[in-house]
Amino acid sequence: MDPALDATDRKILSELVANARLPITELARRVGLSKTPVAARIKAMEEMGLITGYRAILSPLKLGMTHVTYLEVRLSDTRERALAAFNAAVRAIEEVEECYMIAGGFDYLLKVRSRDMADYRRIMGEKISALPHVHATSSYVAMEAVVEQSWMSL
């Protein structure tokens, strides 16, 4: 966290992370300032790129996307052009919830969300296997989400 942020900025961020739809008057009351300085602080944090947007967080479970698989991907080519091609293509697969380039025994770690095993098999066969430069994959099915957060506490 940027050390230039004071305790009030941190309180504002914490409240916004918990509920970005909180009215500015209520947010101001919770952090102990009036509306104008709170609005100015929020605007400054948006302009510095600390706050990058506001969005609705949907429940994958309520949408029927109850199956989570983590997938190790090894590429046949790891030169910059191949990595760029893989990155662009994997971003287009809506079922890929997260994708990280990894330093280790494989190249990428994907979090894939699907309806069930049959749906995962379809995604794997039609989409992931067709990604550029995929050499090998290993799948790990999640049995239960013990901790699952979409935000970081301050």
Side-chain angles (χ1 to χ4, degrees):
M1 175 96 38
D2 184 342
L5 297 176
D6 63 16
T8 302
D9 288 332
R10 292 174 196 271
K11 285 181 191 174
I12 290 169
L13 290 172
S14 182
E15 292 291 341
L16 288 175
V17 164
N19 181 3
R21 294 184 62 175
L22 194 63
I24 195 82
T25 52
E26 177 61 17
L27 178 57
R29 186 192 68 70
R30 290 185 186 187
V31 301
L33 293 176
S34 65
K35 294 185 319 185
T36 302
V38 168
R41 285 171 177 257
I42 292 170
K43 183 173 169 53
M45 288 186 279
E46 289 170 347
E47 288 174 353
M48 75 167 70
L50 183 61
I51 298 173
T52 60
Y54 302 89
R55 63 185 54 90
I57 299 171
L58 305 179
S59 167
L61 301 180
K62 297 285 185 183
L63 293 170
M65 304 299 277
T66 59
H67 191 265
V68 174
T69 305
Y70 290 90
L71 183 67
E72 292 178 1
V73 177
R74 288 166 203 77
L75 301 183
S76 58
D77 184 353
T78 56
R79 291 175 290 184
E80 193 58 39
R81 183 176 289 216
L83 297 175
F86 179 88
N87 292 350
V90 78
R91 285 184 188 109
I93 301 175
E94 64 183 323
E95 295 90 352
V96 174
E97 195 169 275
E98 298 177 33
C99 176
Y100 301 96
M101 184 184 289
I102 300 294
F106 54 95
D107 301 305
Y108 286 90
L109 180 65
L110 281 59
K111 180 181 179 184
V112 178
R113 199 171 279 273
S114 56
R115 290 187 300 279
D116 52 30
M117 183 57 81
D119 190 36
Y120 173 71
R121 184 174 176 181
R122 177 193 60 79
I123 294 162
M124 187 66 189
E126 294 176 6
K127 298 179 180 185
I128 294 171
S129 295
L131 288 168
H133 308 289
V134 170
H135 172 68
T137 62
S138 296
S139 298
Y140 304 91
V141 177
M143 295 190 313
E144 175 183 354
V146 178
V147 175
E148 189 172 53
Q149 300 183 123
S150 60
W151 52 272
M152 192 175 97
S153 60
L154 301 173

